[in-house]
Amino acid sequence: MTPESRPRESVLPPFERVVELHGPALLRFCALQVGPARAEDCFQDAMLAALRAYSGLRDADAIRPWLFAIGTRKAIDIHRATARTPQSTGDIEHLARTEPRDSNEAREPSESNDESLSSRIRNLPEKQRRAVTLRYFGDLSHKEIAAIMETSEEAARRNVFEGLNRLRGVLAR
């Protein structure tokens, strides 16, 4: 086999450079998946898992989708762990006396548009939430999203479309 016919392995950048380039987007993705309170834990878990597996990565062009796939799995782990954790109900009588908030009531001025959009994204169904955040906050293609979500490219495209439509409907109200 001649050197020209051998497949070339791409040279991986130092992991610190990967964190610099992709870390902020991955942190935003984690925040949209699990909420701001648990985003840093999700991000750190994802980066630790990525660091451990980094030497086994063969394609430098696949770093970003690979990181977001790890972030997706860590977010799922956090959701599963949260679902298994007993939640305190607090003062039930107080909750029963509280009147529901009027849907036409104006939002409090302290709630920023970013927080409002983030909470609406977090309220999307799981597949739509993942697809929308991977597409617009991870800047991944539909093909990469499909690989991460282990689905077809058409299904990934449809989840992005339906998630955006749902967000537009909620924001229009």
Side-chain angles (χ1 to χ4, degrees), residues 101-115:
R101 185 175 175 178
D102 182 13
S103 62
N104 295 327
E105 185 178 324
R107 296 204 177 277
E108 295 180 21
S110 65
E111 184 176 24
S112 74
N113 289 338
D114 286 345
E115 290 172 354

Side-chain angles (χ1 to χ4, degrees), residues 41-171:
D41 290 338
C42 181
F43 173 76
Q44 288 177 1
D45 289 346
M47 290 311 247
L48 282 172
L51 178 60
R52 288 184 194 114
Y54 190 63
S55 62
L57 187 62
R58 297 286 175 237
D59 185 7
D61 294 333
I63 291 174
R64 190 174 183 93
W66 175 75
L67 275 175
F68 279 85
I70 294 171
T72 298
R73 287 191 300 275
K74 294 302 176 181
I76 290 169
D77 290 347
I78 287 176
H79 284 295
R80 286 178 181 158
T82 303
R84 289 188 300 262
T85 305
Q87 302 294 318
S88 171
T89 57
D91 183 9
I92 293 176
E93 289 181 25
H94 170 71
L95 293 174
R97 286 191 306 257
T98 304
E99 295 181 19
R101 185 175 175 178
D102 182 13
S103 62
N104 295 327
E105 185 178 324
R107 296 204 177 277
E108 295 180 21
S110 65
E111 184 176 24
S112 74
N113 289 338
D114 286 345
E115 290 172 354
S116 177
L117 180 60
S118 295
S119 67
R120 288 184 172 123
I121 290 171
R122 281 192 305 276
N123 288 331
L124 288 173
E126 181 182 347
K127 288 182 179 180
Q128 292 175 11
R129 180 183 67 240
R130 272 196 278 153
V132 167
T133 54
L134 286 169
R135 178 73 183 111
Y136 293 100
F137 293 90
D139 196 29
L140 300 176
S141 69
H142 291 105
K143 184 177 182 178
E144 293 168 327
I145 294 168
I148 290 169
M149 293 179 66
E150 298 176 346
T151 187
S152 69
E153 189 172 343
E154 293 78 25
R157 193 177 301 274
R158 185 70 186 179
N159 280 316
V160 171
F161 174 78
E162 289 177 359
L164 289 177
N165 274 348
R166 189 175 291 226
L167 283 174
R168 286 182 187 120
V170 168
L171 293 173

Side-chain angles (χ1 to χ4, degrees), residues 2-15:
T2 65
E4 294 83 30
S5 65
R6 254 186 261 148
R8 284 183 39 190
E9 284 190 23
S10 52
V11 178
L12 296 175
F15 192 74

